[in-house]
Amino acid sequence: MLTKRYGLAGLCVLLVGLVVMALWGSMSSSAKTPSGSGQLVGAQDAAPAGGGSYGSYGSYGSSGGSPSAGASAGAGASAGASAGSSAGASAGEGKAGGALTVRTDAKLGMVVTDSEGFTLYRFDKDMAKPPMSNCNDGCAKTWPPVAKEGSTAGTGIEAGMLGEVTRADGTKQLTLGGWPVYRYAQDSAAGDTKGQGVGGVWFALAPDGKKAAAAAAGASAYPSETAGAASKPQPAQPAPGGAQVSVTTNAQLGQIVVDAQGMTLYQYAKDPSWPMKSMCEGQCAMTWKPAPAVDPSQVKGVDPKLIGKMQRSDGSWQLSINCKPVYTFAGDKAPGDANGNGKDNLWSAVNPAGKPVTGK
């Protein structure tokens, strides 16, 4: 009988021991989980910070490169990332400017930048009174609008100069002095001003919302400061003592058409004549720069009836000759150079009749 009692007591002790061990294992497992979870959250928090630079704007508009996509990826990590990616955000909606500030540019004078030092721009085809943006769709991929929410007046900026405008897609864009504010996709580093003067319609912003000083100094070469979406860009003025477009003689090619600076003008075989359209965008347009529209009365050696213009996807106006858009070549370093002729069997210098030259 005594042996039987001791046997039952031993069994009870064994069962209690097993229960205690099970509880201990469960507590140890739950204690380790927060540690691992904390590391995961930290990694997610760090990811959006790495994507804050506007050097990635070359892929802006793709699902992987847009601010909306970047914010969504970190939505579970931080409240700030969640706020930056609204469910209906469009490709044209850029990120906020943070605390806007002013820096002095050696060529442009006082220029407005975002909190990361990237230059901010305005578009001559927009309106300031009342504010209106005319840069949408493809234009907004090249010139991402600055979001109003999260943009504030920093050093050198009067708070009263900031406002907002509702874009065609319903998003709120920042305005400065009434003008909608943009960044430029090709500005890859803080301090870049690659968007200055693009197409004769894009300019860095001054603190009062006007064009930066250098643009004002050469205002005659571009459209007037007067606001108005319906106003057409005015033709560029010729260089002193010269025509906007003229003809010169190249030793290998014969007579070719050049711009006001004497740089050779080219046609691109992939550009259709009707309807007239440029197939050279993005990186192509950095190598083959679209020639700005000119006044046909300021042309020498070419029939003025052959001179025209076409509007590019970014809203700027490009010169056309004989119903074909024309370009200058980045590889031409001096007036009269024709290094782009025959490139890829697609690019040709232009003769006075508006046709591709036959020489190589």
Side-chain angles (χ1 to χ4, degrees):
M1 189 72 175
L2 184 62
T3 302
K4 194 172 184 178
R5 287 179 181 175
Y6 279 119
L8 288 173
L11 180 61
C12 289
V13 170
L14 178 61
L15 289 174
V16 170
L18 290 173
V19 171
V20 170
M21 290 176 65
L23 289 173
W24 178 261
S26 176
M27 291 174 64
S28 297
S29 176
S30 62
K32 291 178 181 179
T33 300
S35 174
S37 175
Q39 291 175 356
L40 183 60
V41 170
Q44 290 177 336
D45 280 343
S53 171
Y54 270 79
S56 62
Y57 258 129
S59 59
Y60 192 95
S62 66
S63 60
S66 70
S68 299
S72 297
S78 69
S82 299
S85 70
S86 58
S90 69
E93 182 181 3
K95 73 175 192 177
L100 272 58
T101 187
V102 177
R103 69 175 179 82
T104 301
D105 183 89
K107 295 182 179 179
L108 304 179
M110 303 290 277
V111 172
V112 180
T113 71
D114 65 11
S115 60
E116 296 177 352
F118 284 87
T119 303
L120 301 181
Y121 299 88
R122 48 168 280 180
F123 183 30
D124 271 359
K125 292 178 69 66
D126 285 348
M127 294 178 64
K129 296 180 181 180
M132 177 183 291
S133 170
N134 288 295
C135 178
N136 299 293
D137 302 322
C139 174
K141 294 178 182 178
T142 302
W143 302 90
V146 176
K148 171 60 172 70
E149 185 176 359
S151 298
T152 59
T155 304
I157 304 294
E158 294 183 18
M161 295 294 292
L162 302 185
E164 66 179 42
V165 62
T166 301
R167 296 178 53 76
D169 61 6
T171 58
K172 302 291 186 181
Q173 181 177 358
L174 175 70
T175 62
L176 178 63
W179 290 96
V181 180
Y182 306 83
R183 296 181 178 91
Y184 182 43
Q186 298 295 334
D187 283 349
S188 57
D192 281 354
T193 55
K194 297 175 183 176
Q196 175 67 12
V198 169
V201 292
W202 290 94
F203 299 96
L205 273 164
D208 57 1
K210 296 181 179 180
K211 302 173 188 177
S220 60
Y222 301 103
S224 65
E225 186 83 2
T226 305
S231 62
K232 296 181 180 179
Q234 299 300 310
Q237 297 300 310
Q244 294 177 0
V245 170
S246 61
V247 175
T248 190
T249 300
N250 180 278
Q252 286 76 39
L253 306 179
Q255 287 192 316
I256 58 174
V257 182
V258 297
D259 66 8
Q261 287 72 45
M263 304 306 290
T264 302
L265 295 175
Y266 299 88
Q267 292 177 346
Y268 185 33
K270 290 186 177 182
D271 287 348
S273 297
W274 191 261
M276 194 163 32
K277 182 179 180 181
S278 171
M279 305 302 292
C280 181
E281 301 280 356
Q283 188 58 44
C284 173
M286 299 297 292
T287 302
W288 301 90
K289 298 181 179 180
V294 304
D295 182 349
S297 68
Q298 300 295 325
V299 174
K300 293 182 179 180
V302 179
D303 187 343
K305 293 180 181 179
L306 296 178
I307 302 299
K309 64 181 180 179
M310 58 145 283
Q311 191 168 25
R312 295 179 59 80
S313 62
D314 63 0
S316 62
W317 290 91
Q318 181 175 359
L319 170 65
S320 68
I321 301 178
N322 195 26
C323 294
K324 294 279 283 188
V326 293
Y327 311 76
T328 56
F329 179 45
D332 287 346
K333 303 304 180 184
D337 283 354
N339 299 320
N341 190 61
K343 280 283 185 183
D344 303 319
N345 291 318
L346 294 171
W347 294 92
S348 303
V350 184
N351 68 21
K355 304 289 186 180
V357 297
T358 55
K360 293 290 182 182

